[in-house]
Amino acid sequence: KAGVTQTPRYLIKTRGQQVTLSCSPISGHRSVSWYQQTPGQGLQFLFEYFSETQRNKGNFPGRFSGRQFSNSRSEMNVSTLELGDSALYLCASRREVNSNQPQHFGDGTRLSIL
Amino acid sequence: QQQVKQSPQSLIVQKGGISIINCAYENTAFDYFPWYQQFPGKGPALLIAIRPDVSEKKEGRFTISFNKSAKQFSLHIMDSQPGDSATYFCAAVPTKGDMRFGAGTRLTVKP
């Protein structure tokens, strides 16, 4: 069974640009969450999508947005990139939006802002 | 925002020793407590998890101990091996809302 797939694995952008990251969940998983991981702040929750609807949102500015498609695949967009957006962006999926459902992570997209 | 506090920040253990990582949480409305293991260049991988109605769960060399009254839980790695060297994250999943992570513990197992 394939795991969570994130593309691309690495990305280099400059300040002011925008970027779109993609996530394909495990087959049968309908919930997709996004996290930002940095050495200083650790793992921080961005948002969670289920059935194409955002179900939960973390404390990030509106420059960070996402969407989910009918096949459960999800994309995350960051506009007007800042140096501080350099991070590992992780996607996680689970079957349902229930607290007893474990989340499974992809290997992330490493985003570097120059 | 509810916090999950994890300690120590880093841990060095000799091969064959016991690694112990501790976490404490501040809110009682958590339903599920997973531990994740992360190797460099990889995403966190679910290692073991426990529900608050259970005091201990063991899977191979990995054991979670849970103390509901103290709002603490810990990960014990028995017979630690160099291949266990990784960063470990505890987490708490609330009834509603996002999963809260500890800051992580970098474990180094020396041969």
mmCIF file of all heavy atoms in Angstrom, chain B residues 10-11 13-14 16 26 31-32 34-35 40 43 46 50 53-55 60 67 69 74 80 88 109 111:
data_model
loop_
_atom_site.group_PDB
_atom_site.id
_atom_site.type_symbol
_atom_site.label_atom_id
_atom_site.label_comp_id
_atom_site.label_asym_id
_atom_site.label_seq_id
_atom_site.Cartn_x
_atom_site.Cartn_y
_atom_site.Cartn_z
ATOM 1 N N SER B 10 17.479 16.458 24.174
ATOM 2 C CA SER B 10 18.369 15.499 23.537
ATOM 3 C C SER B 10 18.767 14.443 24.558
ATOM 4 O O SER B 10 18.757 14.691 25.770
ATOM 5 C CB SER B 10 19.615 16.190 22.968
ATOM 6 O OG SER B 10 20.353 16.793 23.990
ATOM 7 N N LEU B 11 19.124 13.271 24.042
ATOM 8 C CA LEU B 11 19.388 12.130 24.914
ATOM 9 C C LEU B 11 20.447 11.260 24.259
ATOM 10 O O LEU B 11 20.347 10.939 23.069
ATOM 11 C CB LEU B 11 18.087 11.334 25.104
ATOM 12 C CG LEU B 11 18.079 10.107 25.994
ATOM 13 C CD1 LEU B 11 18.461 10.485 27.424
ATOM 14 C CD2 LEU B 11 16.693 9.477 25.967
ATOM 15 N N VAL B 13 22.366 7.599 24.778
ATOM 16 C CA VAL B 13 22.258 6.327 25.487
ATOM 17 C C VAL B 13 23.243 5.335 24.864
ATOM 18 O O VAL B 13 23.467 5.362 23.646
ATOM 19 C CB VAL B 13 20.811 5.793 25.388
ATOM 20 C CG1 VAL B 13 20.685 4.408 25.966
ATOM 21 C CG2 VAL B 13 19.848 6.747 26.074
ATOM 22 N N GLN B 14 23.776 4.489 25.690
ATOM 23 C CA GLN B 14 24.650 3.438 25.178
ATOM 24 C C GLN B 14 23.813 2.301 24.593
ATOM 25 O O GLN B 14 22.686 2.032 25.048
ATOM 26 C CB GLN B 14 25.537 2.885 26.293
ATOM 27 C CG GLN B 14 26.620 3.860 26.769
ATOM 28 C CD GLN B 14 27.649 4.136 25.684
ATOM 29 O OE1 GLN B 14 27.941 5.280 25.361
ATOM 30 N NE2 GLN B 14 28.221 3.082 25.125
ATOM 31 N N GLY B 16 22.085 -0.987 24.052
ATOM 32 C CA GLY B 16 21.602 -1.929 25.055
ATOM 33 C C GLY B 16 20.931 -1.281 26.251
ATOM 34 O O GLY B 16 20.281 -1.961 27.039
ATOM 35 N N GLU B 26 -1.495 19.716 29.172
ATOM 36 C CA GLU B 26 -2.163 20.680 30.059
ATOM 37 C C GLU B 26 -3.684 20.647 29.975
ATOM 38 O O GLU B 26 -4.354 21.375 30.671
ATOM 39 C CB GLU B 26 -1.685 22.094 29.731
ATOM 40 C CG GLU B 26 -0.194 22.298 29.947
ATOM 41 C CD GLU B 26 0.249 23.700 29.585
ATOM 42 O OE1 GLU B 26 -0.544 24.417 28.936
ATOM 43 O OE2 GLU B 26 1.383 24.069 29.937
ATOM 44 N N ASP B 31 -7.854 12.666 23.478
ATOM 45 C CA ASP B 31 -8.386 11.312 23.352
ATOM 46 C C ASP B 31 -7.351 10.267 22.962
ATOM 47 O O ASP B 31 -7.630 9.069 23.035
ATOM 48 C CB ASP B 31 -9.474 11.291 22.279
ATOM 49 C CG ASP B 31 -10.724 12.026 22.725
ATOM 50 O OD1 ASP B 31 -10.891 12.222 23.951
ATOM 51 O OD2 ASP B 31 -11.532 12.393 21.868
ATOM 52 N N TYR B 32 -6.187 10.710 22.535
ATOM 53 C CA TYR B 32 -5.278 9.781 21.871
ATOM 54 C C TYR B 32 -3.886 10.364 21.952
ATOM 55 O O TYR B 32 -3.713 11.575 21.777
ATOM 56 C CB TYR B 32 -5.762 9.682 20.409
ATOM 57 C CG TYR B 32 -5.089 8.678 19.518
ATOM 58 C CD1 TYR B 32 -5.240 7.317 19.709
ATOM 59 C CD2 TYR B 32 -4.333 9.113 18.436
ATOM 60 C CE1 TYR B 32 -4.648 6.411 18.865
ATOM 61 C CE2 TYR B 32 -3.747 8.204 17.588
ATOM 62 C CZ TYR B 32 -3.906 6.861 17.800
ATOM 63 O OH TYR B 32 -3.323 5.959 16.950
ATOM 64 N N PRO B 34 -0.227 9.633 20.447
ATOM 65 C CA PRO B 34 0.714 8.896 19.595
ATOM 66 C C PRO B 34 2.154 9.373 19.795
ATOM 67 O O PRO B 34 2.395 10.490 20.233
ATOM 68 C CB PRO B 34 0.234 9.235 18.178
ATOM 69 C CG PRO B 34 -0.388 10.590 18.303
ATOM 70 C CD PRO B 34 -0.889 10.717 19.716
ATOM 71 N N TRP B 35 3.062 8.513 19.455
ATOM 72 C CA TRP B 35 4.483 8.853 19.391
ATOM 73 C C TRP B 35 4.944 8.648 17.954
ATOM 74 O O TRP B 35 4.591 7.660 17.311
ATOM 75 C CB TRP B 35 5.307 7.956 20.326
ATOM 76 C CG TRP B 35 5.192 8.312 21.767
ATOM 77 C CD1 TRP B 35 4.253 7.882 22.649
ATOM 78 C CD2 TRP B 35 6.070 9.169 22.507
ATOM 79 N NE1 TRP B 35 4.479 8.423 23.889
ATOM 80 C CE2 TRP B 35 5.584 9.215 23.839
ATOM 81 C CE3 TRP B 35 7.212 9.907 22.192
ATOM 82 C CZ2 TRP B 35 6.207 9.958 24.840
ATOM 83 C CZ3 TRP B 35 7.835 10.643 23.187
ATOM 84 C CH2 TRP B 35 7.327 10.667 24.489
ATOM 85 N N PRO B 40 16.351 11.761 9.679
ATOM 86 C CA PRO B 40 16.699 12.902 8.812
ATOM 87 C C PRO B 40 16.233 12.675 7.382
ATOM 88 O O PRO B 40 16.412 11.601 6.815
ATOM 89 C CB PRO B 40 18.226 12.946 8.909
ATOM 90 C CG PRO B 40 18.541 12.345 10.231
ATOM 91 C CD PRO B 40 17.516 11.275 10.436
ATOM 92 N N GLY B 43 9.652 12.012 6.809
ATOM 93 C CA GLY B 43 8.574 12.517 7.624
ATOM 94 C C GLY B 43 8.432 11.694 8.891
ATOM 95 O O GLY B 43 8.972 10.584 8.999
ATOM 96 N N LEU B 46 4.515 7.010 12.508
ATOM 97 C CA LEU B 46 3.817 6.584 13.724
ATOM 98 C C LEU B 46 4.511 5.364 14.314
ATOM 99 O O LEU B 46 4.716 4.356 13.643
ATOM 100 C CB LEU B 46 2.367 6.251 13.380
ATOM 101 C CG LEU B 46 1.485 5.799 14.533
ATOM 102 C CD1 LEU B 46 1.301 6.927 15.538
ATOM 103 C CD2 LEU B 46 0.130 5.317 14.017
ATOM 104 N N ILE B 50 -1.379 5.374 22.402
ATOM 105 C CA ILE B 50 -2.142 4.892 23.550
ATOM 106 C C ILE B 50 -3.376 5.753 23.755
ATOM 107 O O ILE B 50 -3.369 6.941 23.419
ATOM 108 C CB ILE B 50 -1.249 4.874 24.823
ATOM 109 C CG1 ILE B 50 -1.865 4.007 25.920
ATOM 110 C CG2 ILE B 50 -0.992 6.297 25.321
ATOM 111 C CD1 ILE B 50 -0.896 3.717 27.073
ATOM 112 N N ASP B 53 -7.508 5.535 28.568
ATOM 113 C CA ASP B 53 -8.090 4.538 29.468
ATOM 114 C C ASP B 53 -7.166 3.345 29.688
ATOM 115 O O ASP B 53 -7.526 2.383 30.374
ATOM 116 C CB ASP B 53 -9.440 4.064 28.926
ATOM 117 C CG ASP B 53 -9.348 3.531 27.508
ATOM 118 O OD1 ASP B 53 -8.314 3.763 26.858
ATOM 119 O OD2 ASP B 53 -10.305 2.889 27.061
ATOM 120 N N VAL B 54 -5.947 3.444 29.128
ATOM 121 C CA VAL B 54 -4.954 2.378 29.261
ATOM 122 C C VAL B 54 -3.726 2.954 29.933
ATOM 123 O O VAL B 54 -3.298 4.060 29.606
ATOM 124 C CB VAL B 54 -4.587 1.808 27.876
ATOM 125 C CG1 VAL B 54 -3.488 0.766 27.987
ATOM 126 C CG2 VAL B 54 -5.809 1.217 27.202
ATOM 127 N N SER B 55 -3.133 2.232 30.878
ATOM 128 C CA SER B 55 -1.983 2.780 31.606
ATOM 129 C C SER B 55 -0.652 2.415 30.961
ATOM 130 O O SER B 55 0.366 3.067 31.200
ATOM 131 C CB SER B 55 -1.991 2.299 33.052
ATOM 132 O OG SER B 55 -1.907 0.889 33.085
ATOM 133 N N GLY B 60 6.882 -4.604 21.055
ATOM 134 C CA GLY B 60 8.290 -4.946 20.891
ATOM 135 C C GLY B 60 9.136 -4.280 21.967
ATOM 136 O O GLY B 60 8.865 -4.422 23.162
ATOM 137 N N ASN B 67 -0.010 8.174 32.665
ATOM 138 C CA ASN B 67 -0.504 8.523 34.000
ATOM 139 C C ASN B 67 -1.547 9.628 33.836
ATOM 140 O O ASN B 67 -1.203 10.796 33.706
ATOM 141 C CB ASN B 67 0.644 8.985 34.902
ATOM 142 C CG ASN B 67 0.191 9.227 36.329
ATOM 143 O OD1 ASN B 67 -0.953 9.615 36.583
ATOM 144 N ND2 ASN B 67 1.094 9.002 37.269
ATOM 145 N N SER B 69 -3.859 10.871 35.870
ATOM 146 C CA SER B 69 -4.023 11.843 36.954
ATOM 147 C C SER B 69 -2.925 12.900 36.929
ATOM 148 O O SER B 69 -3.151 14.067 37.237
ATOM 149 C CB SER B 69 -4.056 11.138 38.313
ATOM 150 O OG SER B 69 -2.837 10.444 38.527
ATOM 151 N N SER B 74 5.008 8.662 28.868
ATOM 152 C CA SER B 74 6.418 8.514 28.531
ATOM 153 C C SER B 74 6.623 7.354 27.571
ATOM 154 O O SER B 74 5.814 6.424 27.506
ATOM 155 C CB SER B 74 7.249 8.320 29.788
ATOM 156 O OG SER B 74 6.815 7.162 30.478
ATOM 157 N N SER B 80 18.133 -0.309 23.614
ATOM 158 C CA SER B 80 18.294 0.692 22.549
ATOM 159 C C SER B 80 19.415 0.305 21.593
ATOM 160 O O SER B 80 20.475 -0.194 22.016
ATOM 161 C CB SER B 80 18.584 2.062 23.171
ATOM 162 O OG SER B 80 17.506 2.476 23.991
ATOM 163 N N TYR B 88 12.298 11.902 18.253
ATOM 164 C CA TYR B 88 11.017 11.348 18.689
ATOM 165 C C TYR B 88 10.087 12.481 19.125
ATOM 166 O O TYR B 88 10.492 13.390 19.852
ATOM 167 C CB TYR B 88 11.231 10.365 19.830
ATOM 168 C CG TYR B 88 11.960 9.121 19.377
ATOM 169 C CD1 TYR B 88 13.350 9.119 19.260
ATOM 170 C CD2 TYR B 88 11.265 7.959 19.036
ATOM 171 C CE1 TYR B 88 14.028 7.994 18.804
ATOM 172 C CE2 TYR B 88 11.937 6.825 18.590
ATOM 173 C CZ TYR B 88 13.310 6.860 18.470
ATOM 174 O OH TYR B 88 13.978 5.748 18.013
ATOM 175 N N VAL B 109 22.017 6.829 20.042
ATOM 176 C CA VAL B 109 22.410 5.586 20.693
ATOM 177 C C VAL B 109 23.824 5.258 20.233
ATOM 178 O O VAL B 109 24.076 5.017 19.050
ATOM 179 C CB VAL B 109 21.461 4.431 20.345
ATOM 180 C CG1 VAL B 109 21.897 3.157 21.067
ATOM 181 C CG2 VAL B 109 20.023 4.792 20.717
ATOM 182 N N PRO B 111 27.235 3.076 19.883
ATOM 183 C CA PRO B 111 27.548 1.635 19.799
ATOM 184 C C PRO B 111 28.510 1.179 20.885
ATOM 185 O O PRO B 111 29.135 1.995 21.546
ATOM 186 C CB PRO B 111 28.175 1.492 18.411
ATOM 187 C CG PRO B 111 28.553 2.848 17.977
ATOM 188 C CD PRO B 111 27.766 3.850 18.773
#
